[in-house]
């Protein structure tokens, strides 16, 4: 069989999904991270972007980015280790460490590389990584690359984690990895429970706070601020591709760990430095988060409005404290029909089906933005009622 034969077979299966209106991927939106986007010449309300605080289009952030582009050009054109580090990269690393209450931080070119590159550099043969079954693919990839033994524990299940820890050789170094906010359902990792077990068994903890950063905690510092646990976790990671308006990611930890990662993590060493303008974007986002706290409040208000409206209408929602609203449909075909029906009515949402969640847990994932107007949210709620009613979901 030629290597490309599998592509033909795969593409044929995608074509049949498209024919059944069950393919909602790789579409074109202009601009992608705005409250209202254009798709195929139509205007639609965007409830599927992770631009939670609306900072990707915030005038102050855009201006800072343009200024950096003019001053630094479009790329650093080298690895960070060689000639790709600018004062913007170093300034941002200091700022992120301060923002997360840690000694130091290192910036990677994507969030995916952050998780993959931190886990694989920090652990090796003889160590054990304990990973939540619903952790993001970037963590799974880090687990595939490490020489350590990997134990997957049941989602947020402390008895399962305890069992895994108890099985470990007492002398092995152990690392527990969890999402701070689980991306599909918006639920929180059980950080207090994990910390108790980590202390008991002498394990380190790594949190991927991709979706918590900027969205939860009184000042948007994330899941650890929410749980009042800042400074109690060994590795605090995150991405710039959600609340922080661009692409890139970071790991914050001790000075020792950060210096080590900068010379041992292969995705950091062997990939080009993230663009200086992206560093300026994140610096500006962090300033706005501190200086315009009303954005976090607006994000909460918008989320509460839609969550309460959907719940009152009779939709089945899992309770969350994040801007991700998971609407349980429980059937894959109906989930696609719901997403398609909403799209026809002018609302974009993400259908989430197996293998991202179990089949009976199929859901519509709404992600809120602070920049959405009340009128658009009311319109979206009306469309949810209309389409949900037609499908017998309410
Ligand atoms: C929890 C989590 N971690 C890591 C990533 C990867 O980040 P990025 O898309 O910025 O590479 C994502 C992105 O979807 C995510 O949701």
């Amino acid at each position: 069989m030629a290597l490309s034969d599998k592509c033909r077979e795969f593409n044929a299966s995608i074509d049949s999904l498209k024919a059944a209106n069950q393919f909602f991927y790789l579409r074109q939106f202009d601009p992608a991270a705005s409250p209202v986007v254009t798709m195929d010449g139509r205007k639609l309300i965007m409830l599927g972007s992770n631009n939670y605080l609306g900072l990707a289009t915030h005038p102050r952030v855009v201006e800072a980015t343009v200024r950096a582009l003019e001053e630094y050009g479009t790329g650093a054109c080298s690895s960070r280790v060689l000639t790709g580090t600018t004062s913007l990269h170093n300034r941002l690393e200091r700022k992120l460490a301060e923002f997360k209450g840690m000694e130091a931080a290192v910036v990677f070119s994507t969030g995916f590389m952050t998780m993959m590159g931190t886990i694989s550099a920090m652990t090796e043969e003889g160590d054990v990584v304990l990973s939540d079954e619903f952790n993001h693919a970037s963590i799974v990839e880090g687990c595939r690359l490490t020489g350590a033994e990997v134990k997957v524990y049941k989602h947020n299940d402390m008895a399962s984690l305890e069992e895994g820890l108890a099985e470990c050789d007492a002398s092995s170094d152990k690392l527990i990895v969890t999402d701070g906010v689980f991306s599909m359902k918006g639920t929180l990792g059980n950080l207090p429970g994990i910390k108790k077990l980590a202390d008991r068994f002498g394990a380190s903890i790594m949190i991927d706070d991709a979706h918590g950063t900027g969205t939860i905690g009184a000042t948007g510092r994330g899941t650890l601020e929410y749980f009042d646990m800042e400074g109690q976790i060994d590795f605090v990671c995150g991405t710039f591709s959600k609340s922080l308006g661009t692409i890139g990611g970071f790991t914050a930890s001790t000075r020792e760990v950060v210096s080590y990662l900068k010379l041992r993590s292969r995705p950091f060493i062997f990939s080009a430095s993230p663009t200086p303008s992206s560093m300026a974007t994140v610096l500006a986002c962090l300033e706005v988060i501190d200086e315009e706290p009303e954005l976090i409040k607006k994000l909460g208000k918008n989320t509460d409005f839609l969550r309460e409206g959907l719940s009152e209408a009779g939709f089945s929602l899992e309770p969350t404290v994040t801007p991700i609203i998971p609407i349980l449909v429980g059937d894959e075909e109906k989930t696609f029909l719901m997403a398609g029906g909403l799209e026809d009515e002018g609302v974009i949402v993400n259908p989430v089906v197996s293998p991202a969640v179990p089949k009976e847990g199929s859901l519509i994932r709404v992600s809120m933005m602070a920049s959405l107007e009340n009128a658009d949210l009311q319109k979206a709620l009306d469309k949810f009622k209309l389409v949900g009613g037609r499908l017998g979901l309410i």
Side-chain angles (χ1 to χ4, degrees), residues 50 110-113 115 136 138 179 181 183 208 210-211 239-242 247-248:
N50 298 316
T110 68
F112 196 99
M113 288 162 71
M115 298 316 299
H136 188 262
S138 53
D179 281 6
V181 173
S183 50
D208 175 2
H211 295 270
T239 174
F240 305 150
S241 64
K242 321 293 181 202
I247 57 164

Side-chain angles (χ1 to χ4, degrees), residues 299-314:
L299 179 62
K301 249 190 184 170
N302 281 357
T303 311
D304 289 348
F305 172 84
L306 195 62
R307 188 191 285 118
E308 280 159 24
L310 290 167
S311 179
E312 273 165 26

Side-chain angles (χ1 to χ4, degrees), residues 41 106 120 135 152 160 194 204 306 345-346 382 386-387:
V106 47
S120 58
N135 275 343
V152 176
S160 168
I194 290 174
S204 303
L306 195 62
E345 296 291 336
D382 293 342
L386 179 75
V387 180

Side-chain angles (χ1 to χ4, degrees), residues 311-334:
S311 179
E312 273 165 26
F315 284 99
S316 170
L317 310 180
E318 211 164 302
T320 53
V321 294
T322 64
I324 300 170
I325 309 177
I327 303 157
L328 184 68
V329 180
D331 173 278
E332 290 203 345
E333 200 181 332
K334 265 195 186 170

Side-chain angles (χ1 to χ4, degrees), residues 191-193 195 205 223-233:
L191 267 300
K195 174 75 178 144
I205 304 176
T223 308
L224 298 178
E225 184 182 28
Y226 177 84
F227 283 122
D228 201 13
M229 286 178 65
E230 282 172 299
Q232 297 182 42
I233 301 294

